[in-house]
Amino acid sequence: MDTCTALHKYTGIEDEPPVDAGAPFDRGDIILRSADNVDFHFHKLLLSLASSFFSNMFSLPQPGSFDDAADRTKHGLPIIPVTEKSVVLRKLLSFCSPVYDTDVPVLENLDIVMSVLDAADKYDMKRVGIFIVRMIAAPRFLEKEPMRVFAIACRYRSEAETLEAARYMLRFAVWEPAYVSELDFISGSDFQRLVKYHASCGQAMTQLARLWSTYPLPSLDCKFCRKKGVSRLSLKEYQDSVVEALRIRPSVESLLNPEWIDSMVKRAGSCFGCRRESTEDVC
């Protein structure tokens, strides 16, 4: 049993006949067969330009008698079986197309991002990998999974995206983000730099009080509150609360957090009138 046949048996693609991927992967001088038995026609030249792995492969002497090996050819074109599934291979080859600069392939989620990045790394497609990593700092990824974005950008040494993700992480306390598997691919020193950056930004927030002038709080001119003996929130209490909130989560988003605003409102007064005035001032 040759290597190609063994790979077919291992991936199970001999159980079902291969299907064509369709346009735009219906033309070329080579066929890449995915792990789920989808055939992608592509051009050797484009693969060689995008990947040193394939460039080296195509520069080697090719086995003869392709026409006599049905499992190695299709319509006279050589077949290269790969271990990636069609959904990943379609994205990867799209990035190798000369039109991807104007028609960028959609990466729906970070699982797809990682699968395509792993394939690009495997086939030594450096330019494709760099381009994909630059895409992960999009708000739709950062807002949903900032720690994963940080770890991926850090793993691929993309400085701008790593810093952008680290800045986004300031919205959280350093202990809040949950573990993600991508952290296994970065070093302890990489993670320590994130913690140190977070701590430095938090410490800088403690200097705010020195820069503040007087910020008057809403007057709690409420007979009910005065009768109940509710004292108004002092300027120092307000400033200390702001500094503490920003020390833990050094981002302006911390002061827009409904929980923090609610705590300020409750301390400012007990009746609806006071709470409404205080909410308007804080917001």
Side-chain angles (χ1 to χ4, degrees):
M1 181 184 300
D2 59 30
T3 303
C4 185
T5 302
L7 182 59
H8 283 209
K9 288 184 176 293
Y10 176 77
T11 57
I13 59 178
E14 68 169 0
D15 297 334
E16 298 180 4
V19 297
D20 290 327
F25 303 109
D26 53 357
R27 296 182 181 182
D29 51 8
I30 195 77
I31 295 175
L32 298 181
R33 179 166 291 171
S34 69
D36 50 351
N37 227 21
V38 180
D39 287 346
F40 291 79
H41 292 65
F42 210 65
H43 300 275
K44 286 183 179 180
L45 176 61
L46 294 180
L47 278 177
S48 296
L49 292 174
S51 162
S52 59
F53 175 90
F54 284 108
S55 178
N56 292 333
M57 175 188 289
F58 297 144
S59 67
L60 296 174
Q62 300 298 311
S65 304
F66 268 129
D67 293 337
D68 298 328
D71 59 339
R72 294 183 181 179
T73 63
K74 182 177 180 179
H75 306 311
L77 300 178
I79 297 173
I80 301 176
V82 297
T83 57
E84 288 72 30
K85 291 186 176 181
S86 57
V87 63
V88 175
L89 191 57
R90 184 178 298 275
K91 304 285 187 186
L92 184 68
L93 294 179
S94 295
F95 281 108
C96 298
S97 169
V99 299
Y100 83 80
D101 285 328
T102 56
D103 187 16
V104 180
V106 177
L107 299 174
E108 294 83 359
N109 53 62
L110 287 180
D111 291 333
I112 290 292
V113 169
M114 282 306 304
S115 295
V116 179
L117 274 176
D118 286 342
D121 191 46
K122 171 182 174 181
Y123 297 119
D124 202 16
M125 297 179 176
K126 291 184 171 59
R127 185 167 179 264
V128 172
I130 291 172
F131 190 86
I132 294 174
V133 171
R134 288 175 180 170
M135 296 173 65
I136 66 173
R140 62 194 179 95
F141 294 138
L142 270 177
E143 292 172 5
K144 188 176 181 181
E145 300 176 286
M147 180 60 86
R148 289 188 74 187
V149 172
F150 170 81
I152 294 170
C154 192
R155 174 185 177 184
Y156 287 93
R157 299 302 172 195
S158 183
E159 184 175 348
E161 285 67 37
T162 299
L163 180 57
E164 190 165 353
R167 286 172 176 166
Y168 196 92
M169 296 285 291
L170 297 177
R171 301 181 181 204
F172 307 93
V174 70
W175 62 83
E176 286 179 329
Y179 164 82
V180 294
S181 60
E182 285 78 10
L183 287 172
D184 293 339
F185 296 98
I186 66 174
S187 67
S189 61
D190 288 331
F191 186 75
Q192 187 208 30
R193 280 193 288 270
L194 173 64
V195 174
K196 186 176 180 179
Y197 172 71
H198 195 289
S200 298
C201 292
Q203 286 298 318
M205 294 299 103
T206 63
Q207 306 301 316
L208 278 178
R210 298 181 182 180
L211 305 176
W212 275 342
S213 57
T214 302
Y215 290 98
L217 297 174
S219 176
L220 299 184
D221 189 15
C222 175
K223 294 180 181 180
F224 177 81
C225 285
R226 289 205 303 268
K227 184 177 179 181
K228 297 287 289 185
V230 178
S231 60
R232 74 184 296 246
L233 185 65
S234 70
L235 175 62
K236 185 177 187 308
E237 285 180 293
Y238 174 66
Q239 290 180 335
D240 288 347
S241 296
V242 170
V243 169
E244 181 62 13
L246 293 177
R247 184 186 66 81
I248 297 174
R249 300 174 184 86
S251 168
V252 68
E253 299 295 330
S254 300
L255 305 185
L256 301 178
N257 187 306
E259 292 183 5
W260 183 83
I261 294 176
D262 187 56
S263 70
M264 291 294 98
V265 169
K266 288 179 179 178
R267 291 168 62 182
S270 61
C271 78
F272 177 76
C274 290
R275 290 198 298 270
R276 182 178 59 187
E277 290 182 26
S278 299
T279 302
E280 292 173 353
D281 186 74
V282 170
C283 294

